[in-house]
Amino acid sequence: MDVGESPWIPPLLKIIIRTGKEHMDKCRRQYVHKNDMEWIKEVFKTTKPVIAMCHLQAMPGDPNFDEKGGMEKVVELARQDFLALQEGGVDAVMFSNEFSLPYLRKVNPETTAAMARVIGELKSEIRIPFGVNVLWDPYASLDLAAAVGASFIREIMSGVYGSDFGLWDTNTGEIVRHKRKLGLDNVKMLFNIVPESARYLVDRPIAEIAKTTVFNNKPDVICVSGTNAGASTDMNILSVVKEAIPDTAVFANTGCRMETIEDIFKIADGAVVGTTFKIDGKFENLVDPERVKRFMDKVHQVR
């Protein structure tokens, strides 16, 4: 029997006990919520961070690698893009092998090594938090994070999908144990549950997927994407996911633009931005410093 329901306790004391219990439950919920979300400000030094993508050019082993320009060209273009993003005022940057198309689900070691070289050569110039994404390989992403000191990774780490790259299976238990083995307890995990160019193999409501992903896997962030890089995030899906998991951070993962970022930030706890920062807003181009500055000016007005 609950002590507050005991017949031996006077009615007024019962009310006091019940009120105190309700207050404690409310404080406990607020404490859990703070713990789940407070890390965002600690890592990114702001709420609702903008994580800019630094898309690395094709590297050795990739079909479109520029053998004439070599790794020197990859490093130099990465430096040019990164500095434009950092000087434009983004809150963080994520390095990815975006031009390693078509992507592998198990990345070859030369790709991880090449990315480590690029980030290593830029490390002395990096002044903002940074993360990594070795597409589409969570193990390689963790390996790279360990090598370069990244603060977070983003990957497909749960679920089974039919994709342009074949059957996309995952094993979250193995991934998080690999993370633990590498001593990466402080590295934040951004789970993409609506990946580009793929669809969940079983027809399940997205709210249900979000809830079970959080319950089973304890992600730091749930990412919601459009159909491909640069494609708009479905605002309805973003809203449904955030409503389903209010105590877990939800980031818009693609298609964030000047005209949509205000509405996105009414729902999302952060945004990953890539194509919008490119010259003419085209995926294949380099970063346009002026587009970065204009976008971040807009962000400062609305968040």
Side-chain angles (χ1 to χ4, degrees), residues 77-198:
L77 291 180
R79 174 177 284 110
Q80 180 180 324
D81 273 0
F82 170 74
L83 291 176
L85 294 167
Q86 181 170 259
E87 292 166 7
V90 300
D91 303 307
V93 71
M94 178 157 41
F95 296 97
S96 72
N97 57 322
E98 211 77 18
F99 293 106
S100 291
L101 289 159
Y103 302 124
L104 296 169
R105 298 190 307 279
K106 180 174 174 55
V107 171
N108 295 327
E110 60 266 24
T111 300
T112 310
M115 293 181 72
R117 174 183 170 181
V118 173
I119 298 169
E121 293 209 26
L122 299 181
K123 195 71 181 289
S124 64
E125 301 174 71
I126 298 176
R127 302 283 183 267
I128 55 178
F130 74 93
V132 295
N133 186 189
V134 186
L135 300 162
W136 287 105
D137 189 336
Y139 302 95
S141 296
L142 287 167
D143 293 341
L144 181 58
V148 301
S151 297
F152 58 93
I153 72 162
R154 179 194 63 181
E155 254 304 336
I156 310 301
M157 293 182 274
S158 63
V160 183
Y161 303 85
S163 78
D164 290 352
F165 316 111
L167 184 62
W168 207 336
D169 199 359
T170 61
N171 190 325
T172 314
E174 286 188 357
I175 294 167
V176 297
R177 283 165 175 79
H178 187 64
K179 178 191 178 194
R180 186 63 182 269
K181 181 177 70 175
L182 294 175
L184 300 178
D185 291 348
N186 292 328
V187 170
K188 301 303 180 183
M189 305 282 273
L190 281 59
F191 279 55
N192 192 348
I193 65 166
V194 188
E196 302 102 296
S197 308

Side-chain angles (χ1 to χ4, degrees), residues 193-194 205-208 210 222 224-226 232-245 250-252 254 260 263-268:
I193 65 166
V194 188
I206 191 62
E208 178 184 305
I222 290 293
V224 178
S225 308
S232 297
T233 299
D234 187 311
M235 295 294 288
N236 181 58
I237 293 177
L238 188 66
S239 180
V240 168
V241 169
K242 186 58 191 175
E243 185 176 337
I245 50 171
V250 174
F251 286 5
T254 63
T260 62
D263 288 335
I264 285 171
F265 274 163
K266 289 177 181 177
I267 304 169

